[in-house]
Amino acid sequence: MAEVNIGDIVKAHYHSGTYIGKVKEDRGKNYLIEVLAVLKHPMQGDLHNPGQVEGVFFHERKALFYQEKMNVKKPAVHPYDAEVPSYGDSLKAAVHTYKEKLLQEDTPYNQQAILTLNRLEENHYKKRYYNIKS
C-alpha cells in the first residue's frame, strides 16, 4: 500500500461514494479528508437492502460538498496523481454516469433512484454546486 501523508491528494471511498480530496489530518485509523471533487455519486436508497423499494425507507443521498470534511478509514484512501477536476464538473459527471448506469435496466429501484437524482439536481446541485470551479 502506497504511503499517504498530510497534504496529499487522494481518492477516498466514503458511504458508497468516491471522492478526490486533500488529507488534512492523520487520526490514527482514519484520515480527515477535505473534498475537492466527486468521482462516484453515492448510491440512492437503502444501503442495507440494495435494489429494494418495497418495505424499505428509500434514502436520498447527496454527494459530499466542496471542501466538506470526511473521516475515512485508512484502507479506503489511495494516492491520486491525475489532474483534479473542478468540483462542479466532477459532480455533474458523477450524476450523469450514475443515471446512465440506472437507465440500462428498467426496474422499480432504478426508476426511483433516477427520480431521486433528478430531484437532487433540481433542488440542490444545479442551483449551488454545478457552477463551483475549484
Side-chain angles (χ1 to χ4, degrees):
M1 186 165 87
E3 187 176 338
V4 173
N5 298 297
I6 307 274
D8 285 357
I9 302 300
V10 295
K11 177 171 88 169
H13 184 71
Y14 184 77
H15 290 196
S16 83
T18 305
Y19 302 89
I20 301 168
K22 184 179 218 174
V23 178
K24 301 304 259 181
E25 292 178 21
D26 184 331
R27 293 185 165 179
K29 292 183 178 186
N30 298 329
Y31 289 115
L32 182 68
I33 297 173
E34 180 180 69
V35 173
L36 300 176
V38 182
L39 287 175
K40 178 181 171 281
H41 194 281
M43 288 178 52
Q44 301 304 296
D46 185 336
L47 296 182
H48 301 290
N49 298 286
Q52 301 293 313
V53 293
E54 296 293 323
V56 299
F57 182 74
F58 199 91
H59 296 270
E60 173 187 276
R61 290 190 160 57
K62 295 180 182 103
L64 295 179
F65 300 125
Y66 181 64
Q67 295 183 324
E68 187 170 351
K69 310 297 187 291
M70 56 184 170
N71 201 29
V72 185
K73 294 185 183 310
K74 286 184 175 179
V77 177
H78 307 281
Y80 184 82
D81 57 8
E83 184 175 335
V84 178
S86 75
Y87 178 84
D89 290 345
S90 71
L91 177 60
K92 196 181 300 185
V95 169
H96 177 76
T97 299
Y98 190 18
K99 282 184 182 180
E100 289 294 312
K101 180 181 177 191
L102 293 167
L103 287 169
Q104 291 177 4
E105 189 176 354
D106 188 19
T107 67
Y109 169 82
N110 288 3
Q111 291 170 7
Q112 184 63 41
I114 288 170
L115 287 174
T116 304
L117 285 172
N118 287 338
R119 192 168 46 246
L120 281 171
E121 277 192 303
E122 291 305 316
N123 296 334
H124 300 283
Y125 297 162
K126 285 182 180 178
K127 293 176 182 177
R128 296 185 191 107
Y129 302 105
Y130 279 180
N131 61 352
I132 293 177
K133 302 293 180 196
S134 47

